[in-house]
Amino acid sequence: MEYLARKSDERVIKRRRIEQPKVNHQEENASAVEEPCLQAIKLLVDLKICLFRFRVVELWKATFNDREASRSEDGENTFSNYLKDFPVLTAYNGELISLDYAKIKPESTSFCEYWEPIELAVLEHHSDQFKELQNDFVRALSIIRSKNPSRGSKRKQDTTSKNNMKNNPLSGIIEWVQMDDDPPQTASMIPVLYVRGEPLKNSEDCVIRWSEWSIPVLAELKLAFNILLETFTVLNVQPAPTDRQFFLFLRGSVLHTATLSTTGAKFLHSL
């Protein structure tokens, strides 16, 4: 009897028996089959995406001369017409922008590598400025901007600009929006980096807005700002007149693609 009970998977117990939940073996078997299938499908989709991206990058490199011709045309923002036919530039978190920038400026050095010592020096020598800013990267950029004004920039700033600068020392260059909000859709003739998240802090959800285009950059603020610097060269546009010295300093001291102005050289030597 004990043997038969074991064979039936049910032991005969005289005391009150506790009912066990019934197991649906058919559902278990189905799940065991479906899970590997779903994983295989996901792998195939990922592979297809990778192959597609590889092909896009390959074609982007091959068509570089076409974009160079468009960039060399006379007139402001002529490259915007090229993007109307080839909006793929806005994909892949700015990777295609970096590819073009590397071709245009092969002498350019790594932003992240050369930025670190400058950031440390700026924060050390100007420890009394913008102390309310908690993010070191934002604070260092704010100090550099305040110490490298363009000639006549103070006279050109209107009341609205001055108020914006009080709340955000990088206003017009980097703007912060609420996490659930979208950047303004109004056309901007100058690329602006919009950051979703807490004001004046880091985030990994950034968007560059220029003209009618949005370029998502899902990377931390420092990397997104690097893409912004490259964007000016790739799109063939100039910074705002009030910020030319600021961008010139970064190009000369960090990217090493330009000659520092007298103002920028004095500031760099003072660090």
Side-chain angles (χ1 to χ4, degrees), residues 15 27 59-60 71 91 98 119 176 193-194 233 241 259 269:
R15 63 179 179 269
E27 291 182 0
L59 291 173
W60 190 257
R71 276 187 281 263
S98 293
E119 177 183 295
W176 276 261
L193 177 62
Y194 286 90
T233 299
T259 302
H269 292 153

Side-chain angles (χ1 to χ4, degrees), residues 49-80:
I49 292 173
C50 288
L51 290 174
F52 181 75
R53 174 184 163 278
F54 177 82
R55 183 57 177 159
V56 169
V57 170
E58 191 178 51
L59 291 173
W60 190 257
K61 291 178 180 178
T63 54
F64 173 77
N65 290 335
D66 294 338
R67 291 187 296 282
E68 273 294 87
S70 177
R71 276 187 281 263
S72 64
E73 292 178 5
D74 294 332
E76 286 291 327
N77 300 321
T78 54
F79 195 68
S80 181

